Amino acid sequence: MTLKDKLFLFLGLMLSVPFLKVTGQTQADRPCDEKATRETVNLYRNLKKLSGSGRYLIGHQDALAYGVQWKYEKGRSDVKDVTGDYPAVYGWELGHLEQGSARNLDGVAFDKMREFIRQGYKQGGVITLSWHGINPKNGKSAWDVEPGTVASILPGAPYHDVYRKQLDRVATFLLSLKGDKGEYIPVLFRPFHELTGGWFWWGAKTTTPEEYKTLFRFTVDYLQRIKGIHHLLYVYNTSGGLQSDEAFLERYPGDDVVDILSFDTYQFKNPQADFATSLKGDLALVEQLAQRKNKVAAVAEMGFSQIPEANWWTGTVAPSLKGRNFAYVLFWRNAGVKPDNEMEYFVPYKGQVSEKDFVRYYRLPETLFQKEARALKLYK
Ligand code: BMA
């Protein structure tokens, strides 16, 4: 390095210091997609800022489509029935889109889903998509764990083209999500979720870490480079009960293809004292890794089906998350009675035993629902 080069380097550093101080951001406060749209860049920055404030957005899966004992009632949501406000994060599910179905695996029509997504976005909310896609190798469900499935769909493998066609359909839907000005609606995309579990075809029992990483990276590259999609934030998602940093990161596909680190967790028994302990452990671990990587942390799915514990919200959920740096927590769907006769709902409806406590939870300063989320102008 010549003396002149050194001088320029020194001047460059001096000039960048005040800039970094003023904005409080570094380049790393940007999404991993270098071509991310303006709204997507802004959303990422705002989620990051929010998660550092100790407050977090509350989400609900399928919130606008149905609830316990109702479906497709304009403007309705079980969260709104109980609190008077909508959730701030809207989760939707893509499963069966990849096979060209008009409805997803839970019976929600994709044409309606698109409208609900537009509605949530217009209300200032955040959209996240999960994908219980069918097994590309044998056409069975996401829960079909035929060994070697992922290996058989990677580039060069026999079922690769089947997987590409699936992705083409997903891409077409993603490219149809636009706001009023024609801008793409940013989406937190969460493919191949609960990857540490053994219940999906991409799960840890039948997939090697290298295969998982290759599939994730191929998918991101295909969507970005071949399909020109730049309105996604990518969510890496394990199941809960995490044992160590290594266990969480074993299948992590890389900082250049992930924006949000997350896990899913459910309480199954009542009472279950170890749920809060396990939740707190997972929160601490994921928060610390997200901070180290300068990424956003989230709880991508949480719940206690049928919420039999009247004070679960302020007794278990709120204290576990208190003071943590998470951008959002999403509660799973209010399916009501399912086709298999199982009853499933994860937020209260009017008259449910935890209804009053959910209102207390709503009123806590750290929980943000639609009205507060809107005021944050997450896309600006
Ligand atoms: C699961 C259950 C299923 C549903 C799937 C995808 O956790 O709610 O009933 O089909 O999610 O939404």
Side-chain angles (χ1 to χ4, degrees):
M1 208 188 259
T2 64
L3 190 63
K4 203 169 122 203
D5 287 341
K6 278 187 188 151
L7 197 66
F8 273 116
L9 185 67
F10 177 72
L11 276 173
L13 281 173
M14 292 306 288
L15 285 171
S16 65
V17 167
F19 172 74
L20 290 177
K21 270 203 185 133
V22 170
T23 62
Q25 292 154 22
T26 63
Q27 275 299 307
D29 276 342
R30 292 180 58 92
C32 63
D33 182 352
E34 282 168 13
K35 292 187 180 158
T37 63
R38 194 177 54 201
E39 290 76 16
T40 311
V41 169
N42 291 344
L43 176 62
Y44 182 73
R45 194 191 59 245
N46 285 320
L47 289 178
K48 186 123 201 314
K49 201 157 68 177
L50 176 69
S51 57
S53 74
R55 296 176 305 161
Y56 53 96
L57 306 170
I58 298 297
H60 189 210
Q61 183 75 1
D62 285 348
L64 302 172
Y66 59 82
V68 177
Q69 290 190 322
W70 63 271
K71 187 169 180 179
Y72 296 161
E73 289 183 29
K74 210 172 164 13
R76 192 164 178 194
S77 129
D78 280 348
V79 169
K80 185 166 175 262
D81 281 359
V82 168
T83 66
D85 197 1
Y86 289 104
V89 177
Y90 297 93
W92 299 100
E93 163 60 36
L94 298 178
H96 289 190
L97 178 66
E98 73 285 345
Q99 61 181 14
S101 302
R103 274 190 285 240
N104 82 357
L105 76 165
D106 303 319
V108 179
F110 289 109
D111 281 346
K112 290 216 184 289
M113 192 186 293
R114 185 183 300 108
E115 287 314 306
F116 292 137
I117 287 173
R118 282 169 53 84
Q119 183 189 337
Y121 170 71
K122 275 208 247 180
Q123 289 173 183
V126 175
I127 309 303
T128 179
L129 292 174
S130 52
W131 184 19
H132 291 71
I134 57 166
N135 182 320
K137 188 176 178 202
N138 59 26
K140 295 181 187 168
S141 82
W143 290 268
D144 177 87
V145 290
E146 182 179 331
T149 296
V150 171
S152 81
I153 67 169
L154 295 178
Y159 294 89
H160 182 59
D161 282 349
V162 178
Y163 179 58
R164 280 174 99 103
K165 290 211 178 71
Q166 291 192 344
L167 269 185
D168 289 344
R169 290 188 166 123
V170 167
T172 303
F173 183 75
L174 292 171
L175 288 168
S176 75
L177 303 176
K178 291 186 178 175
D180 283 347
K181 296 190 193 96
E183 79 283 17
Y184 286 114
I185 299 175
V187 166
L188 318 185
F189 185 48
R190 183 169 67 102
F192 316 123
H193 67 296
E194 299 178 2
L195 63 109
T196 46
W199 44 88
F200 296 126
W201 57 255
W202 54 86
K205 282 211 181 107
T206 48
T207 311
T208 68
E210 278 320 303
E211 286 162 1
Y212 184 87
K213 290 182 204 175
T214 307
L215 177 64
F216 200 104
R217 296 188 69 85
F218 167 78
T219 303
V220 172
D221 182 65
Y222 191 78
L223 293 175
Q224 289 180 356
R225 211 164 40 81
I226 310 293
K227 293 290 165 181
I229 294 179
H230 299 292
H231 55 292
L232 306 183
L233 295 174
Y234 292 90
V235 185
Y236 173 77
N237 176 251
T238 67
S239 33
L242 296 159
Q243 300 301 323
S244 64
D245 292 4
E246 291 72 32
F248 183 81
L249 292 176
E250 190 194 20
R251 284 147 198 272
Y252 184 70
D255 290 342
D256 58 338
V257 289
V258 171
D259 297 299
I260 299 177
L261 306 190
S262 71
F263 65 96
D264 292 356
T265 189
Y266 288 89
Q267 179 165 340
F268 291 103
K269 284 179 274 169
N270 185 29
Q272 188 185 334
D274 64 352
F275 175 72
T277 310
S278 149
L279 172 59
K280 281 180 198 155
D282 291 340
L283 289 165
L285 190 147
V286 174
E287 173 189 82
Q288 171 259 118
L289 285 175
Q291 280 173 349
R292 205 199 301 160
K293 289 179 170 297
N294 201 22
K295 305 276 182 195
V296 168
V299 185
E301 281 181 38
M302 179 145 90
F304 186 3
S305 191
Q306 303 184 44
I307 327 130
E309 207 176 302
N311 290 331
W312 191 67
W313 304 99
T314 61
T316 299
V317 180
S320 303
L321 276 143
K322 187 97 193 145
R324 289 281 168 213
N325 299 307
F326 277 71
Y328 67 94
V329 176
L330 179 133
F331 298 99
W332 203 241
R333 65 198 199 102
N334 273 21
V337 182
K338 298 203 285 184
D340 60 5
N341 271 335
E342 200 195 319
M343 180 74 158
E344 188 183 68
Y345 56 85
F346 294 93
V347 302
Y349 52 88
K350 275 225 154 289
Q352 202 272 336
V353 66
S354 75
E355 179 191 356
K356 283 204 179 68
D357 194 50
F358 193 70
V359 175
R360 284 194 285 270
Y361 183 61
Y362 170 76
R363 291 196 182 121
L364 293 177
E366 68 264 30
T367 56
L368 306 177
F369 288 67
Q370 184 73 85
K371 284 178 193 146
E372 285 163 303
R374 187 187 193 118
L376 290 174
K377 296 189 170 63
L378 294 168
Y379 301 100
K380 288 254 164 67

